[in-house]
Amino acid sequence: MKKMIIAIDGPSGTGKSTTARLLGERMNIRYIDSGTMYRGITHVILKSDIKPNELKKIIEIANDSKFEYSNNKVFMNGIDITKEIKSLEVMNKVSSVSKIKELRNSLVDKQRKVAEDESLIMDGKDIGTVVFPDADFKFFLICDLNTRASRRQEEFLDMGYNIPIDKIIKELKKRDEMDMKRTFSPLKKAKDAIEIDTTHMIIEEQIDCLYRKIISNTY
Ligand code: C5P
């Protein structure tokens, strides 16, 4: 199979990451969730005494970060951060960290490097618009807000946190707004992306849907 880049964007809770991961397994293509990088940096900032206005320090953290992925785990500078980056604290803070232009440039460089020598499926907010504008396939997943919130609630329950649905809805709304309205690389559908509404789809249907479109090369 020739080298290919598949970009999957959309708001949080649309099933992007799970779809991208399982699609990667089915197609035997490497998969990376770019959100883990923004979450990883946010986690490190939250753990430190760095203030939101200490831009130089924040950008240094991004420049010095090295992300590795294996067995569905995320490692930042050798440390397993898989669980930490899914916390409510990180979820609340990540959108204000990810609007910093220099931080984005640093992470986008790292994201592009991964695709230098191999095929890649990457999911995020700006993959089809900024990171890989020439991607072979671009998908934009959307989903009803309440369904997204219940999916997130399930994920939290699996991690042992019982978070009220109202709180999750509020956070998702706030994050959508910040991600869509930021100046640099806002969350938006690339002109040539295929939009898929996942509200009534189970995960297998989502994977099949993308897989069929890739295989039949229908756009
Ligand atoms: O996809 P996920 O919910 O893990 O992304 C967490 C946050 O990271 C997003 O809300 C967004 O602020 C940021 N992000 C981004 N660009 C990406 C991926 C994630 O700005 N490519």
Side-chain angles (χ1 to χ4, degrees):
M1 190 167 52
K2 85 172 198 7
K3 184 182 158 203
M4 71 165 83
I5 306 288
I6 301 169
I8 306 180
D9 289 303
S12 302
T14 49
K16 280 180 313 207
S17 305
T18 314
T19 305
R21 176 169 57 79
L22 296 173
L23 184 66
E25 281 174 16
R26 188 184 288 189
M27 299 185 70
N28 203 15
I29 296 182
R30 181 148 191 224
Y31 148 70
I32 288 188
D33 170 0
S34 64
T36 56
M37 298 188 181
Y38 294 91
R39 285 170 178 266
I41 307 289
T42 307
H43 165 64
V44 172
I45 295 171
L46 284 171
K47 265 197 342 185
S48 69
D49 54 3
I50 297 173
K51 313 264 175 322
N53 61 352
E54 291 185 293
L55 278 189
K56 212 169 152 240
K57 285 190 187 166
I58 295 176
I59 293 154
E60 235 170 68
I61 295 177
N63 287 339
D64 294 345
S65 63
K66 184 165 187 262
F67 291 89
E68 283 154 323
Y69 301 84
S70 77
N71 296 328
N72 293 332
K73 287 192 183 326
V74 186
F75 297 85
M76 181 173 172
N77 301 338
I79 297 167
D80 182 355
I81 53 162
T82 318
K83 187 154 189 252
E84 289 78 357
I85 58 173
K86 291 194 179 136
S87 72
L88 197 61
E89 293 73 29
V90 169
M91 172 170 147
N92 289 345
K93 184 86 182 132
V94 63
S95 291
S96 53
V97 171
S98 58
K99 65 184 183 197
I100 303 169
K101 185 183 177 197
E102 295 85 348
L103 175 140
R104 300 199 66 82
N105 289 341
S106 174
L107 294 187
V108 167
D109 278 352
K110 293 181 203 291
Q111 290 154 12
R112 287 184 181 144
K113 274 216 173 73
V114 190
E116 269 171 9
D117 325 297
E118 59 179 327
S119 290
L120 181 70
I121 300 178
M122 185 171 277
D123 81 284
K125 313 285 174 202
D126 59 342
I127 310 304
T129 50
V130 175
V131 185
F132 298 117
D134 298 325
D136 301 275
F137 296 95
K138 296 183 187 179
F139 297 98
F140 193 83
L141 271 45
I142 56 163
C143 178
D144 164 80
L145 179 65
N146 289 326
T147 309
R148 289 162 56 202
S150 340
R151 288 176 183 170
R152 267 287 129 94
Q153 193 180 38
E154 294 269 321
E155 276 173 30
F156 278 122
L157 275 175
D158 285 346
M159 291 188 289
Y161 307 117
N162 190 357
I163 316 240
I165 195 86
D166 295 359
K167 192 164 179 183
I168 299 181
I169 290 180
K170 206 170 134 214
E171 283 312 325
L172 279 176
K173 265 189 178 161
K174 194 172 113 197
R175 201 138 63 91
D176 282 354
E177 190 157 313
M178 286 182 80
D179 289 345
M180 288 190 287
K181 290 194 175 154
R182 69 180 174 221
T183 315
F184 308 109
S185 328
L187 164 64
K188 70 169 182 216
K189 178 175 170 275
K191 280 196 195 80
D192 50 349
I194 289 192
E195 184 171 288
I196 297 172
D197 186 342
T198 70
T199 308
H200 302 291
M201 287 185 185
I202 56 168
I203 214 75
E204 286 74 18
E205 289 171 324
Q206 294 186 199
I207 302 158
D208 276 348
C209 177
L210 270 67
Y211 182 73
R212 275 199 304 267
K213 290 195 193 304
I214 292 166
I215 293 305
S216 61
N217 210 349
T218 48
Y219 70 101

